[in-house]
Amino acid sequence: MSLATPIAECQAEVHGRWLDRVMASYPEQARPFFRRQKNRFANPVGQTLDRGLRLLLQELAGESRPEELCRHLEEILRVRSVQSFTPAQAVRFLFELKDIVREVLGERLADRREQEWLGRFDRQVDQLALFAFDIYSRLRERMYQLRIAEVKRSVSTIMKRTGYFSEELFAKPVPEQKTAGPSGAPGE
Amino acid sequence: MAKATFDQMEYYDPQQIAAVSHRPPAGGWMDTPVEFRPGTWIYPGKAKHLEYLGLPNPRDWAVTDEDWKLPDNWKEIVLKGIRERLDKYRSFKVFMDVCVRCGACADKCHFFIGGGDPKNMPVLRAELLRSVYRNDFTTAGKILGRLAGGRKLTIDVIKEWFYYFFQCTECRRCSVFCPYGIDTAEITMMARELLGLLGIYVNWVIEPVANCFRTGNHLGIQPHGLKDTLEFFAEDIEEATGVKVDIPLNKKGADILFVTPSGDFLADPGTFTCMGYMLLFHELGLNYTWSTYASEGGNFGLFTSAETIKRLNAKLYAEAKRLGVKWILGGECGHMWRVVHQYMDTVNGPADFLEVPRSPITGTVFENARSTKVVHIAEFTADLIKHGKLKLDPSRNDHIRVTFHDSCNPARAMGLFEEPRYILRHVCNNFYEMPENTIREQTFCCGGGAGLGTDENMEMRLRGGMPRGMAVRHVQEKYDVNQLCAICAIDRATLVTVCDFWAPGVKVTGLHELVANAMVFEGENERKLNLRLEPVDELREEAGNA
Ligand code: SF4
Ligand code: SF4
């Protein structure tokens, strides 16, 4: 997709700045650890964000397949959904991508063709944000479902004995929702 | 750039650390009051439970109330409490004094790793209490106050203690990395005792404590209830295996008293592990007994106070004495083993009236339990397998691809690493380890230990459970792992949720559930169902297709 070319050229720089912005949402004292510890089991937050943002950018620079975008978003948001952020704080980083791309591409966005690209890119980011709303709320719903399921499980013997027990009472993974937002795949 | 203070990770940067003096810093964190975010804290203990236990200041209150209804002389009570504990516990005094803030522990706590709140760095968690100690109990602190890293005890400090000392699962992962052996879990225990002096408890701990004190177990199951439950299990066991097990209850003159956490009586999937014990003992023809009075292996006193540990634990020896057993066998519990190995002997021992445990089946003497007289079921079963005393068909578990979660206490408090793995390898053909820095002594907590395993703090639990969950997810992706085995009742409750969130599709099982499902019993049926009463053929097919 030729549209994607401008960010394809400077992915690494966009990624670095984007990660900085995301990191800025964490306490100052934790940022160096989240950034520097490269072992993903010792530092699941930092490494998930690092990797997730990189994959999102790659996908945006390439085919922008909705399923892939959602998959990478979900990895990031699963982490951010349990970190005491408000919903807006949790997904804010997506909108920041617009600024970052302008900062990085700067003068290269001067001509009309690039301006058109930028318009389409902004819409892609909006679409990404819509995906993110869906995914984030699904994860939060899941958390509450799990909370209920756990309470039921804690008295499963009594429920079985009184005939109230059935497997259906327990939370199954919520099925993936196919599309989000009004306009189908982003970037189309 | 401003010089980093010790609550900042830069401070621990290898390049910088040499440049930083170890003078106690006066940090901005001291003045940041706690923000009680929903989903991160636990409901306070109800008045009726405190009354039942004779604990101070029983009242009903809410964490979100401005006024926590503390006694007028609360400050005096806490400072006196610190004094008493400094005099009583040398370890506490040492831990208050010797931390050099090297930072080795700073990034080892699952709550810090999962969320980045600096007050979840073990070093800073301890500092919440240490700063008050400095201010009021050290000469430098008394004179220099802030400059010496001291701070005044205020109501906000009390609230902060409540918030952060109930965000510590006393898992002791941090202590593994401390060059001075400082055990932050013990600092948490001290802080919780101090809060307790003001009547500040969490209900998820203090209700089980009251239940246990009254009925003998955390869940408040009464003798007839326990009998019913075990009979109910026996019915399911018969349906699954065709084997009719007997249920020896309060049997005087039995060789062995068996105790297990009461979670195994009530909560799936622990219930299946309980059935596993029943089948194993039946097959061995073991002369053992359950007790309806000492019907709790766990001891939530550990999360309350030393005194409460003693009060609840005493029941075990008293019942062993009353029944005249030779020794005690303990089930798959986590914190029970911290109590047994590190406190039981001191608070209620020595149990001279009991014999040094010896397996009646193999003759093995459990020297390691010479003093407490309590043997871990994994030691017992591993010994049986080693001596070829169990008929096992591990292919019966072939649909299971299992990983093993080292529960914090059996791992770090008693060093039980090999026995459960040895058993697993004999009852399952597909066993896969999680990454090295997440198992054995470095194991990551489930996020719900030490009284945090309730549901109102679910967000905090999932945050703390993230490092464990991510490691599970890794083996799920790499080896198709579909079950996680844990030898702790809290794990069997909380890790189900952790897995459902971080690694959906991975189920949780106890060790003896797997043992029983692989065992070949005398007079068994065709074994078409497992202990969960699931058709094994279908499970196989599912696994084959996966
Ligand atoms: S590792 Fe030990 S000495 Fe170092 S900061 Fe932590 S508690 Fe203090
Ligand atoms: S004991 Fe565990 S939960 Fe507590 S501070 Fe240490 S690592 Fe964190």
Side-chain angles (χ1 to χ4, degrees), chain B residues 520-538:
Chain B
V520 181
F521 300 109
E522 183 100 20
E524 67 176 19
N525 63 14
E526 292 163 293
R527 303 292 296 273
K528 286 194 171 356
L529 302 173
N530 63 17
L531 289 179
R532 301 187 184 201
L533 301 183
E534 297 161 338
V536 181
D537 279 349
E538 280 177 31

Side-chain angles (χ1 to χ4, degrees), chain A residues 29 75 82 84 147 150, chain B residues 7 459 461 463 473 497:
Chain A
Q29 300 92 330
E75 293 303 317
V82 298
S84 287
R147 185 176 163 186
E150 192 178 281
Chain B
D7 58 329
E459 183 168 339
R461 275 180 47 200
R463 192 183 308 171
R473 173 85 175 279
T497 309

Side-chain angles (χ1 to χ4, degrees), chain B residues 221-529:
Chain B
I221 305 168
Q222 295 170 7
H224 59 282
L226 182 58
K227 183 166 180 286
D228 272 3
T229 302
L230 295 176
E231 281 168 359
F232 182 72
F233 289 166
E235 283 169 29
D236 277 8
I237 288 173
E238 191 174 355
E239 189 177 342
T241 63
V243 177
K244 257 191 156 83
V245 299
D246 33 40
I247 306 163
L249 265 177
N250 302 332
K251 182 176 149 191
K252 289 202 172 172
D255 288 342
I256 296 166
L257 167 64
F258 181 67
V259 285
T260 198
S262 59
D264 288 354
F265 301 137
L266 220 50
D268 285 350
T271 48
F272 310 117
T273 289
C274 192
M275 295 180 202
Y277 308 138
M278 294 165 82
L279 272 162
L280 172 71
F281 301 154
H282 170 87
E283 185 69 11
L284 296 171
L286 203 66
N287 182 17
Y288 84 108
T289 185
W290 301 87
S291 160
T292 55
Y293 304 103
S295 44
E296 178 62 66
N299 186 334
F300 274 24
L302 183 66
F303 317 138
T304 309
S305 69
E307 182 57 26
T308 319
I309 295 179
K310 185 183 167 88
R311 284 166 87 183
L312 300 190
N313 174 267
K315 220 167 274 200
L316 245 56
Y317 281 157
E319 184 66 343
K321 198 169 201 170
R322 187 182 76 89
L323 296 174
V325 300
K326 294 180 178 150
W327 53 279
I328 301 169
L329 182 62
E332 295 182 22
C333 182
H335 68 283
M336 162 180 186
W337 296 99
R338 165 96 152 135
V339 173
V340 167
H341 270 247
Q342 285 160 0
Y343 303 111
M344 187 172 191
D345 228 13
T346 316
V347 295
N348 289 317
D352 292 338
F353 58 95
L354 293 172
E355 294 175 15
V356 177
R358 182 179 166 278
S359 169
I361 315 295
T362 65
T364 299
V365 177
F366 294 94
E367 291 289 348
N368 57 326
R370 173 170 284 280
S371 165
T372 59
K373 318 288 197 289
V374 193
V375 173
H376 194 290
I377 183 99
E379 296 169 331
F380 180 75
T381 303
D383 174 64
L384 292 169
I385 295 175
K386 179 107 185 160
H387 286 86
K389 298 293 184 191
L390 300 185
K391 212 165 157 198
L392 296 167
D393 177 1
S395 75
R396 289 180 178 182
N397 283 325
D398 268 356
H399 54 286
I400 297 171
R401 303 171 68 82
V402 71
T403 191
F404 182 69
H405 161 74
D406 289 274
S407 305
C408 302
N409 284 303
R412 282 188 281 262
M414 71 181 290
L416 191 83
F417 303 123
E418 297 312 325
E419 290 84 346
R421 288 179 165 80
Y422 179 82
I423 297 171
L424 264 183
R425 291 202 176 88
H426 282 86
V427 300
C428 293
N429 287 321
N430 310 301
F431 165 44
Y432 303 91
E433 291 278 18
M434 284 183 274
E436 214 180 328
N437 56 346
T438 72
I439 56 169
R440 297 177 184 264
E441 51 272 86
Q442 295 191 49
T443 188
F444 274 117
C445 180
C446 64
L452 274 71
T454 180
D455 64 294
E456 62 268 22
N457 59 339
M458 188 54 88
E459 183 168 339
M460 184 53 70
R461 275 180 47 200
L462 287 175
R463 192 183 308 171
M466 178 197 302
R468 171 41 78 228
M470 292 284 202
V472 176
R473 173 85 175 279
H474 171 73
V475 285
Q476 181 187 28
E477 281 167 357
K478 195 161 172 194
Y479 308 112
D480 268 335
V481 159
N482 56 13
Q483 287 202 16
L484 171 139
C485 173
I487 52 169
C488 162
I490 304 254
D491 280 336
R492 283 190 290 270
T494 58
L495 281 175
V496 176
T497 309
V498 166
C499 289
D500 277 347
F501 192 81
W502 296 108
V506 177
K507 287 191 196 169
V508 174
T509 177
L511 184 58
H512 280 77
E513 178 184 348
L514 297 175
V515 170
N517 278 329
M519 269 178 80
V520 181
F521 300 109
E522 183 100 20
E524 67 176 19
N525 63 14
E526 292 163 293
R527 303 292 296 273
K528 286 194 171 356
L529 302 173

